[in-house]
Amino acid sequence: MDLSGFPNLHLLTDIFPNQVKGLMTIIRDRETDRDRFIFYADRLIRLLVERSLEFLPVAPESVVTPTDATYAGARFLGQICAVSVLRAGESMEMAVRDVCGKVRLGKILIQRDEETAEPHLYYSKLPPDISDRWVLLLDPMLATGGSIIKAIEIIKEKGVPEERIIFVNLVSALFGLSRVFSRFPQIRIVTAEVDPELNDRCYIVPGLGDFGDRYFGTER
Ligand code: PRP
Ligand code: URA
């Protein structure tokens, strides 16, 4: 698949090709039970969050080590917050908390209509100082792009510039990626894999089914 037209797309497979393939094989398998799905999805999500933090600005900082030598290091600059797109994005919050301690968390509840796949916004609550922060936007699935476009609009309306939004995602459909980048060219997207198609119900193909249902155990 030619992804060269998306300079702000960052693939986890570029760093960990074998690990990502192996973990993805488990969570994409329809025979994988819920416990294993959660365990391996969580591992991938942790890698995605770590990769995303790489985009935060740093400043030089030196420390003296126990050998009396100076280590020329770095410290993170700038404040962050995370915003999860409910429900599935909630599954990514723990990984952010694990690495960013007392991180502020905003929530946006958007649900796709099961028939039309049109996104509906029900609720949002964001940190009041979000415009001063870098935003890790959390949603594991990007299909038509409708839900995340709505979420990005809300965050931008609060004064966050596009280039300070990092969308942390597990599986992207090519169609949704193109839509998001043509609307918001400065945003960064960190994802594990890009899938080629959507089916007639706007599910990602090959995909992994309904992430929220598999993670939270609500399949019919
Ligand atoms: C899923 C997913 C995204 C959206 C992606 O959520 O988590 O938010 O669909 O599809 P789109 O790109 O076509 O908008 P869904 O609305 O199914 O709700 P859920 O989180 O409860 O599973
Ligand atoms: N939401 C999901 O959970 N999976 C898809 O394939 C599309 C939207």
Side-chain angles (χ1 to χ4, degrees):
M1 203 179 314
D2 181 13
L3 300 171
S4 57
F6 305 133
N8 285 337
L9 174 69
H10 303 276
L11 286 170
L12 205 54
T13 41
D14 289 346
I15 309 173
F16 298 123
N18 294 336
Q19 264 206 91
V20 171
K21 254 299 180 243
L23 296 171
M24 275 294 186
T25 303
I26 297 170
I27 66 168
R28 286 177 185 271
D29 184 347
R30 66 176 170 195
E31 301 299 334
T32 295
D33 66 20
R34 184 174 169 217
D35 282 353
R36 276 166 55 81
F37 184 84
I38 293 172
F39 182 82
Y40 291 103
D42 284 350
R43 277 193 57 191
L44 279 159
I45 290 166
R46 177 67 182 259
L47 293 173
L48 288 163
V49 169
E50 296 281 6
R51 175 70 185 94
S52 302
L53 295 178
E54 189 64 25
F55 296 109
L56 300 180
V58 291
E61 181 166 287
S62 292
V63 291
V64 178
T65 73
T67 63
D68 285 333
T70 299
Y71 173 77
R75 73 185 152 83
F76 283 113
L77 284 177
Q79 305 268 53
I80 67 159
C81 69
V83 175
S84 59
V85 179
L86 306 179
R87 172 190 53 155
E90 203 164 41
S91 66
M92 305 174 86
E93 291 176 2
M94 191 48 76
V96 179
R97 282 178 192 270
D98 283 346
V99 290
C100 304
K102 291 183 190 152
V103 64
R104 290 177 186 228
L105 275 170
K107 313 244 182 192
I108 302 177
L109 174 54
I110 296 172
Q111 293 281 284
R112 292 201 321 175
D113 183 295
E114 291 201 354
E115 302 303 319
T116 64
E118 276 301 306
H120 293 284
L121 170 67
Y122 292 98
Y123 169 87
S124 74
K125 186 85 179 177
L126 300 173
D129 59 352
I130 192 168
S131 61
D132 300 327
R133 293 176 181 271
W134 285 73
V135 177
L136 296 181
L137 178 59
L138 312 175
D139 192 333
M141 304 305 280
L142 170 63
T144 66
S147 304
I148 211 67
I149 286 172
K150 222 177 229 321
I152 296 166
E153 279 170 357
I154 293 166
I155 293 167
K156 284 191 68 179
E157 273 164 23
K158 296 288 178 190
V160 182
E162 239 169 81
E163 54 272 25
R164 265 202 267 128
I165 302 173
I166 303 165
F167 174 30
V168 190
N169 171 259
L170 184 58
V171 183
S172 283
L174 190 57
F175 178 83
L177 267 185
S178 304
R179 261 186 92 194
V180 175
F181 279 132
S182 61
R183 186 79 186 273
F184 308 112
Q186 302 303 321
I187 199 167
R188 288 189 183 85
I189 301 182
V190 177
T191 193
E193 287 188 326
V194 178
D195 282 10
E197 286 171 43
L198 295 175
N199 68 15
D200 57 2
R201 293 180 55 224
C202 294
Y203 273 79
I204 303 168
V205 177
L208 50 74
D210 190 302
F211 184 97
D213 282 347
R214 293 187 71 189
Y215 196 95
F216 295 110
T218 51
E219 299 111 312
R220 292 202 184 107

